[in-house]
Amino acid sequence: MTVVLITPSFSRDFPLAKELCASIDRHNEDNLQHILVVPKSDLSLFEQLKGPNRSLISKESVLSPSPIQLPLPTIIGFPGLFQKRIRTVWLGPGFRPVRGWILQQVIKLSADLISPADTYVFLDSDAVMVRAFSTETFEKDGLVPMVRVEGALSPDNHDFKRWQDVACDLLGIDRFPFEGDSNIAVVVSWRQDRLKELQARIEEVTGRPYQEVLCTQSDLSEYVLYNTFCLKLCAPEHGHDVRARSMCHEAWGYDMGNADDRERFAIGLANDHIAVLIESTQEWSMEKRRAVISEITARAGL
């Protein structure tokens, strides 16, 4: 099976994407291909990150019809005093406004239009690889890793409950009680065959092209949608190795402004973690991010 790494990104996250790419190049044992998917207007900026194992395509080329990015600011405020990140807005099918975070999920759910690989591995710009990885990391004995942490969340988590309900509606299955299971991670791998079946299912249920349907959603989680499809409609032959822990050591759930929480995060890298994530919303300098990640890897003996 062939494996490709995919990272949707954009200009504001370019410094983070550059760090991610450098870490991939250090730890990529099998020379797996890495594809950056960015707005057409950012292609020239990201051009410098291309290499023997890395290519670049525009978000617009993945979607049909091509969306139009509205020329709105992505950061407002006063440098050094106050800054707020603003989500990008696009015009999608029918000239409907589509939030950038929804469009990014539609991009992932169209991964078969990005690459013909058998397995897709999604990496966020604000992640950094810290251990060696190879094809076998993401596919072994015909199985692809899938994260499902049972009982990780409160059963009354309204965001996840909505995402699960939306997934059920799109898939044409009865809604079921949310039990607090989490499907969200940073290093996430999907099978091409299951993804194409998912797309076909959405079109069968809705009678409309899947991209058009997804772009009209106000609440959506691509990972909840994909996992729900595999676990509810494809089980037990979904072709995934369901695991109770992400392959990434994520800063979610830690108060990174608190010294005790930063200490807990610094010592939390497990043997099966191949990446570390400090969310871009932390608004840390690159120097601070590098220092924290260096401390984590040093404590893990890497």
Side-chain angles (χ1 to χ4, degrees):
M1 295 180 73
T2 53
V3 176
V4 67
L5 315 177
I6 298 176
T7 300
S9 192
F10 68 127
S11 58
R12 192 174 65 194
D13 282 349
F14 176 77
L16 300 173
K18 186 175 181 180
E19 292 283 302
L20 169 64
C21 290
S23 71
I24 289 173
D25 293 343
R26 285 194 298 273
H27 298 291
N28 190 355
E29 290 191 331
D30 279 351
N31 294 320
L32 299 181
Q33 290 297 305
H34 181 210
I35 303 175
L36 294 164
V37 189
V38 303
K40 187 186 302 181
S41 58
D42 294 339
L43 286 173
S44 59
L45 173 64
F46 280 81
E47 187 79 18
Q48 62 188 279
L49 301 182
K50 290 174 63 176
N53 302 318
R54 181 169 298 107
S55 57
L56 189 62
I57 66 169
S58 71
K59 289 183 177 180
E60 290 89 337
S61 67
V62 180
L63 302 172
S64 180
S66 295
I68 301 170
Q69 184 175 2
L70 297 182
L72 301 174
T74 58
I75 297 179
I76 60 173
F78 300 95
L81 295 176
F82 164 77
Q83 287 191 335
K84 180 177 177 61
R85 296 166 68 95
I86 304 296
R87 294 186 185 275
T88 54
V89 179
W90 298 68
L91 290 180
F95 293 98
R96 297 186 183 94
V98 182
R99 293 289 182 183
W101 68 279
I102 292 287
L103 199 67
Q104 185 144 309
Q105 296 185 64
V106 180
I107 292 289
K108 295 177 188 175
L109 288 160
S110 305
D112 59 306
L113 302 178
I114 297 172
S115 168
D118 300 306
T119 301
Y120 308 118
V121 180
F122 300 108
L123 302 171
D124 289 353
S125 296
D126 43 5
V128 173
M129 308 302 281
V130 296
R131 281 194 171 98
F133 60 89
S134 64
T135 300
E136 193 173 82
T137 305
F138 306 111
E139 186 280 320
K140 188 174 182 179
D141 299 328
L143 298 178
V144 173
M146 171 186 284
V147 176
R148 183 188 183 205
V149 187
E150 295 185 3
L153 304 166
S154 168
D156 61 359
N157 187 302
H158 298 298
D159 287 339
F160 276 77
K161 177 65 169 63
R162 284 197 303 272
W163 295 336
Q164 180 178 286
D165 287 346
V166 169
C168 290
D169 294 346
L170 291 173
L171 298 173
I173 61 176
D174 292 337
R175 295 181 176 185
F176 54 93
F178 176 63
E179 298 179 346
D181 298 346
S182 176
N183 304 311
I184 308 297
V186 171
V187 181
V188 174
S189 46
W190 289 355
R191 298 176 60 102
Q192 185 202 114
D193 51 2
R194 295 290 90 85
L195 176 59
K196 286 189 171 182
E197 292 166 4
L198 166 59
Q199 296 165 354
R201 176 73 181 196
I202 292 172
E203 294 185 345
E204 177 186 353
V205 169
T206 65
R208 295 155 57 201
Y210 76 91
Q211 287 189 351
E212 177 183 322
V213 173
L214 295 171
C215 282
T216 63
Q217 304 303 310
S218 57
D219 279 303
L220 180 68
S221 167
E222 74 278 50
Y223 298 146
V224 172
L225 176 59
Y226 180 88
N227 282 26
T228 301
F229 173 74
C230 289
L231 297 174
K232 294 297 182 180
L233 293 175
C234 302
E237 302 301 326
H238 47 60
H240 281 279
D241 172 19
V242 181
R243 301 179 179 182
R245 183 162 62 192
S246 168
M247 287 187 281
C248 181
H249 181 37
E250 298 133 353
W252 304 332
Y254 295 88
D255 179 0
M256 297 301 282
N258 178 279
D260 290 339
D261 261 24
R262 282 200 308 274
E263 172 67 14
R264 289 196 305 113
F265 183 64
I267 62 175
L269 191 73
N271 291 335
D272 54 352
H273 284 145
I274 63 171
V276 171
L277 170 83
I278 299 174
E279 295 168 281
S280 59
T281 52
Q282 287 292 333
E283 301 289 359
W284 282 2
S285 68
M286 293 306 302
E287 291 73 19
K288 185 173 183 178
R289 293 175 62 87
R290 291 182 187 124
V292 171
I293 292 171
S294 292
E295 181 182 0
I296 292 171
T297 54
R299 290 190 177 208
L302 300 177

